[in-house]
Amino acid sequence: PEWYFLFAYAILRSIPNKLGGVIALVMSIAILFILPILHTNKSQGLQFYPINQILFWYMVIIIILLTWIGARPVEAPFILTGQILTVLYFSYYILNPMISKIWDNFLK
């Protein structure tokens, strides 16, 4: 695959079930399109959400590492690393809105 899809390819490879891997692959791309629609924060930027700023940079690192893992062969250390990074990739999209809501309630 092309280098800009290697993170999604790493997610596809990290799930042993073929159908589950394809669903995770589609969701890893689709979530990037769905996320702006689900944005319900009171503030538009991240400058008012310091914890989310840290999470954002963790996400950048996770995507870079997934891209690197996607270019590596399917061998023992890379498989486990890809699975851990896949869980972290999807957990970001669960944690980010929750922390934003907590921070909005904290600032009331």
Side-chain angles (χ1 to χ4, degrees):
E2 298 297 327
W3 67 269
Y4 42 84
F5 284 126
L6 284 176
F7 82 96
Y9 180 63
I11 291 172
L12 172 71
R13 287 191 333 189
S14 69
I15 299 177
N17 184 355
K18 286 185 181 182
L19 180 61
V22 171
I23 290 171
L25 169 75
V26 170
M27 288 306 298
S28 70
I29 301 295
I31 202 164
L32 298 174
F33 293 105
I34 295 170
L35 193 64
I37 297 168
L38 299 177
H39 181 73
T40 59
N41 296 347
K42 292 182 181 178
S43 299
Q44 291 296 321
L46 279 180
Q47 66 266 24
F48 301 112
Y49 300 98
I51 299 172
N52 293 60
Q53 290 176 356
I54 295 168
L55 280 177
F56 170 78
W57 288 110
Y58 281 133
M59 186 61 172
V60 169
I61 292 169
I62 288 169
I63 290 175
I64 290 171
L65 288 174
L66 275 171
T67 301
W68 177 72
I69 290 294
R72 299 291 123 215
V74 183
E75 293 177 353
F78 304 124
I79 294 171
L80 180 62
T81 306
Q83 290 172 343
I84 292 169
L85 289 171
T86 298
V87 169
L88 292 174
Y89 178 85
F90 286 110
S91 66
Y92 169 80
Y93 296 108
I94 296 169
L95 288 175
N96 193 31
M98 288 182 359
I99 292 175
S100 295
K101 295 235 184 272
I102 291 169
W103 195 257
D104 283 340
N105 291 335
F106 179 71
L107 292 177
K108 278 186 181 180

